[in-house]
Amino acid sequence: MKIFLNADHHRHAGRQEMFRGRMVPCHEVPARLDHVLAELGRRPQGELLSPAIGDATLDAALARVHRPDYLQFLATAWADWVAMDPANAERDVLPSVWPLPSRHGFRTDTPPANFAARLGLYGFDAGSPLMAGTWAAARSGAACALAAAGEVLGGARSAFALTRPPGHHAGPDFFGGYCFLNNAALAAQALRDGGHHRVAVLDVDYHHGNGTQTIFYERADVLTVSIHGDPRTEYPFFLGHADERGAGAGEGANLNLPLPRGTGFTDWRVALDTALQAVTNFGASALVVPMGLDTFEGDPISGFHLRSADYATVGQALAGAGLPTVFTFEGGYAVAEVGINAVNLLEGFGRAV
Ligand SMILES: [Zn+2]
């Protein structure tokens, strides 16, 4: 499979994130991707390429998934942050105040001029630092997702967008969970626009793919399925329950399979089979897999117990769907093992097709 590598990913390198009242070193670090790359060097799965997507094409694709005011916010966020106080150039951007319109009655219809307030309008947590290179890194990552979708539209069985920051928590107009642009949603939309009438997204990250769900929640043409830690105890907490089935035209086109913290591979695999059956029942002709490896037993911020060898089985099962498949690199914070686990999955997939 062709692998589209985000050569700009190092430009997004957060120093610290807020975790329960203290600043801690970021979990989502450039070394994650470097480990995948190193493992691909040892066990090549296909050609490594740079995406060839022009700026105009990229901008048009971003506008298919994200709101214009949000894209504008991201484009100027760093400059706006430094303009607030030149000393900010030494600090990553993090929100610290939120409007919570659904509960507190605060208004969001009048865009605030103060950048600290705008940050709270668009960001949903204080754990997702943004810095000078974030916009460039995220854009290049989106280009990788589009290139991978293009490869599949051109007839390839599969392609992989090897990029960070990840994307599945980013919604139409919000960032969070280390995500800024939703690479999986961009790939799914590109597959739709390229002629696939029904596309499925099967998110295997430990955390619910809330951004992707929100983007497609009222649409009948994109099925979103997510297997994840139960949001009653696991991040992102406020979405990802089993009774979220889609709305309006999208009623029935969203499937959440939350599992309790501590779930091992045997039970996880049952959920995967349920997910794959839903993809088949939906009649999808193409599949996008937001590939999170934080279901690994050694992950420092997650709670499932998949082992490295299990990822080959996961890849094999995904190949069993028999669909052209785009993979996007998402979570996985056991940094030393993330490369082995990612390549195990790709290798399992490759062996089964
Ligand atoms: Zn995750």
Side-chain angles (χ1 to χ4, degrees):
M1 86 175 60
K2 287 192 175 151
I3 298 165
F4 294 92
L5 171 66
N6 182 354
D8 292 322
H9 82 93
H10 281 99
R11 297 178 67 179
H12 177 75
R15 283 167 275 200
Q16 293 185 305
E17 60 183 77
M18 175 70 82
F19 181 75
R20 296 176 190 168
R22 63 198 168 100
M23 297 302 288
V24 301
C26 284
H27 290 102
E28 203 291 289
V29 293
R32 298 175 57 247
L33 192 149
D34 295 338
H35 277 277
V36 179
L37 209 49
E39 192 62 23
L40 284 169
R42 286 185 279 272
R43 291 186 287 154
Q45 300 299 310
E47 201 179 347
L48 278 170
L49 298 163
S50 292
I53 305 284
D55 273 347
T57 304
L58 179 58
D59 286 334
L62 293 178
R64 297 284 287 142
V65 163
H66 295 288
R67 257 180 33 188
D69 59 309
Y70 174 60
L71 294 169
Q72 185 58 40
F73 161 79
L74 286 179
T76 61
W78 179 253
D80 291 343
W81 173 250
V82 175
M84 284 181 78
D85 177 353
N88 279 353
E90 302 304 315
R91 289 187 277 270
D92 294 346
V93 185
L94 282 178
S96 57
V97 59
W98 291 271
L100 293 182
S102 63
R103 291 192 58 232
H104 296 168
F106 283 132
R107 289 178 61 180
T108 56
D109 58 331
T110 307
N114 187 306
F115 182 69
R118 289 174 62 216
L119 262 176
L121 200 57
Y122 292 111
F124 69 82
D125 66 32
S128 309
L130 183 154
M131 62 240 50
T134 299
W135 178 233
R139 276 179 71 86
S140 294
C144 290
L146 294 174
E151 186 64 19
V152 160
L153 284 168
R157 177 66 163 81
S158 62
F160 179 30
L162 178 50
T163 182
R164 51 169 294 285
H168 74 145
H169 293 302
D173 58 351
F174 56 81
F175 71 93
Y178 315 144
C179 302
F180 300 89
L181 296 173
N182 194 314
N183 302 314
L186 288 160
Q189 185 62 49
L191 292 168
R192 277 289 295 108
D193 293 340
H196 285 280
H197 294 297
R198 289 166 91 78
V199 174
V201 181
L202 201 178
D203 190 320
V204 296
D205 190 279
Y206 180 75
H207 305 96
H208 174 242
N210 64 297
T212 320
Q213 170 172 316
T214 300
I215 287 166
F216 295 116
Y217 203 60
E218 297 184 8
R219 284 175 50 174
D221 56 336
V222 179
L223 172 72
T224 43
V225 184
S226 181
I227 307 168
H228 51 265
D230 190 328
R232 287 179 299 175
T233 59
E234 306 308 301
Y235 184 92
F237 306 116
F238 306 111
L239 208 66
H241 299 280
D243 63 354
E244 296 155 14
R245 303 274 300 145
E251 180 78 46
N254 186 76
L255 175 62
N256 285 329
L257 299 166
L259 297 170
R261 190 176 184 85
T263 294
F265 186 57
T266 305
D267 292 334
W268 193 92
R269 175 65 203 269
V270 171
L272 179 63
D273 287 340
T274 304
L276 286 166
Q277 189 59 54
V279 170
T280 300
N281 294 348
F282 182 71
S285 59
L287 178 64
V288 177
V289 177
M291 194 177 93
L293 292 315
D294 42 9
T295 49
F296 179 57
E297 61 180 351
D299 196 277
I301 60 168
S302 307
F304 289 166
H305 294 302
L306 273 65
R307 296 180 174 164
S308 288
D310 296 331
Y311 291 98
T313 311
V314 175
Q316 192 176 6
L318 291 168
L323 296 173
T325 302
V326 174
F327 293 95
T328 60
F329 186 52
E330 304 287 345
Y333 306 101
V335 174
E337 291 92 351
V338 74
I340 293 164
N341 296 341
V343 176
N344 281 359
L345 194 154
L346 298 176
E347 201 170 66
F349 184 93
R351 268 204 301 262
V353 297

